[in-house]
Amino acid sequence: MKYLNKLATVFCFAALGLLAMTSCEGGDLYKVDSPDWISEAIDSIKANKGQGGDELPEGTEDVYTIGKTDYSSGWWADFSKYYVIPEGAVWNAVFNLNINPAAPNTYKNFALILCNDADRGSNIEYGAIRYDNQPSGNSEWGDYIDRSCVESTLTFNTDTDAGVEKLGGRVILTIDRSDPNAFTVTMTNGTVTKTYKQKTPLVNLNADQSNTNIRAFLVPEGSYINFLQSNIEPIGGFTSATDKQPLSMTLNSVPKKVLVGSTVEEAFANVSATIQYEQLVSQTVPLSQLFYTSVDLNTCGKKKITVFYDSTFKGEKATTPVYAEAEFEVVDKMYTCLGASDNSTGWWGAHSENVKVGPKETVVQTFTNYTSGANNWNNFVIVLCRADDSEYAVVRSDNYGWGDGYAACTPIGTQGDWATWLAAMDGAKVTTYVTNNGDGTADVKAVMIGNNGQEYTQEYIGINTVDPDNFYYRYTVDGCHYEFDDVLGADDNTSGWWAAHSPNEQVPAGYTVTKQFINYTSGANNWNNFVAVLCRADNSEYAVVRSDNYGWGDGYAACTPIGTQGDWGTWLAAMDGAKVTLSVTNVGDGTANVNAVMVGNNGQTYTQQYNGINTVDPDNLYWRLTVDGCHMVFEPFGKAASNASKSRSARRRNR
């Protein structure tokens, strides 16, 4: 309404001036051109409000912000209030949708979520309708949403098409339940109109069938919403536009670790604060608008930063400032990280490379999981796919998944109390096992050692529809990040022979167990690189084999060692930072094979094989790694996947 008031004032002054001019000779009210500044004002108002005209539906002021004003809100990170819509009612909402000028994807706008009349976390969703329209993508989803009911005046062929900025401005959203035999949703900013016209009423998902209410709320992604008005009072009440005092603040995107010697500006560049004001109003402000205590970033160790804010909602001096504290660690080494280290990367926002898993093979990987702690699903996610990234299944850490192959599997989780588990997952040490059974099925297992020392497991047994010759996996994130910081040996390569060992991994008869790691060497000798030990459960050895075509043990004498290292000096220099894929195969007939593929720092591929190691009990074969003037960092690597094909290939449905 403030735009209407200003515009009315402009027109009043203009009208008075124009009326006066009619008394002058030759004056003609209908031929006088408007001054440029009036035209500019009108153009500016139209740009801010969209092209929908000045007519607004009846409603009450409801003024608050949804999403981070720096456009950093990830999917399912920020929510509007809940609006309860009775049967037979029409809900009209008005808000300004702010689109990032640099938005690269059409889905960087907002989604309307429809659910039954229950609180968040215990509700059942009808589904979601996003403002953009992409028939081949995920602009709508849910078990009770029929995509054939969608019409739009703007259609995108892919989620990278240009034109997302056309969705910005003042949006009028209408949910119409007035027709007992239909259900209609309309979203329009005057430029783009999208409708959902279902010719049947919504089914009743409430436990109490006498309750016919539904709820609706908004979720932005890479955008933010300035809500203006609603004709239905939301849960928590309306919010007025009067100035408001700050009540509390929450820090966002504080990094878990900071590299020693960093400046505050470098270390906390992405930090912002969500300020909670009176009347349930909140907004997010950048670090540049905050005050913070000095903090020592030149020495390693646990640190704390205290941040203050002293302004009202309208920027006046607050009666009482608010503050928040956050802990972090200053470290002298940063490991490879998937996702932003402040857990701000949203759903599907980062992916590891695809790792191939052959028939009868298990790939073992270790990492540290960090979570925002907002929801159970804000932890590691594993995608099982083909070489072209088309998916068999997507599985999470919290006993949930989806996909064509998921329906047949048996999910087994030992998390127990979810709140305790979620808290323990921030810094949990995770080992994942992805197995291609070779018969069209696959298994996934995760062992999680929480920050409370408790062990949790998550398994998905019997995922099907798998092509055993075209099976890969990768990791993705959702409000979390992983550090591939599992290291064997001192990182200065001073660990001597037999000084450090990885855990034993069992190799079942007929299967191969594989690990991937980066090998670092002192470079003193050929043998100052990784070493594999084949043993029984009691650690008694079958054989010990090295990277440089040499080994020993009772079972070693019968094997055939084959190495392609070529010139030893060149190979040794290339092994400092080499990417190694090391596999042990239990043939099942009393023999075992070891195969190492080493991609040197020079880009050249070397191989080392030990075939036919004997004296092996096929029911009691394990293997581990040890060091000798070297160290290993365990990281996944493989076929780099296409970013375009992974941008939105699987939309997560929340429980």
Side-chain angles (χ1 to χ4, degrees), residues 366-397:
T366 52
F367 55 87
T368 302
N369 177 90
Y370 293 96
T371 174
S372 65
N375 304 283
N376 293 340
W377 53 81
N378 295 133
N379 290 288
F380 66 87
V381 180
I382 301 175
V383 183
L384 308 181
C385 61
R386 301 172 184 85
D388 65 1
D389 294 325
S390 59
E391 295 156 14
Y392 299 114
V394 180
V395 297
R396 301 192 314 210
S397 58

Side-chain angles (χ1 to χ4, degrees), residues 26 83 106 116 158 247 254 262 373 384 437 464 488 505 519 548:
Y83 295 83
T106 60
N116 70 332
T158 72
L247 301 177
V254 178
S262 300
L384 308 181
N437 292 314
N464 65 4
L488 185 65
E505 298 292 350
N519 179 89
D548 61 336

Side-chain angles (χ1 to χ4, degrees), residues 33 37 61 149 151 167 182 184 189 193 200 325 344 461 482 486 501 503 506 545-546 573 580 599 617:
D33 292 329
W37 68 270
E61 190 176 65
C149 298
E151 299 175 3
L167 305 177
T184 303
N189 65 358
T193 299
T200 57
E325 296 180 327
S344 62
I461 308 299
Y482 328 152
D486 190 18
H501 297 260
Q506 185 175 14
V545 296
R546 300 192 316 212
V580 180
V599 180
D617 178 353

Side-chain angles (χ1 to χ4, degrees), residues 497-498 531-536 539-546 550-559 584 592 594 610 612-616 621-624 626:
W497 169 245
W498 217 253
V531 180
V533 182
L534 277 63
C535 61
R536 301 172 184 84
N539 287 324
S540 58
E541 297 160 13
Y542 298 115
V544 179
V545 296
R546 300 192 316 212
Y550 186 76
W552 59 89
D554 292 342
Y556 179 80
C559 83
V584 176
V594 178
Y610 298 96
I613 295 171
N614 66 5
T615 72
V616 171
L621 175 61
Y622 294 77
W623 75 278
R624 68 179 184 272
T626 190

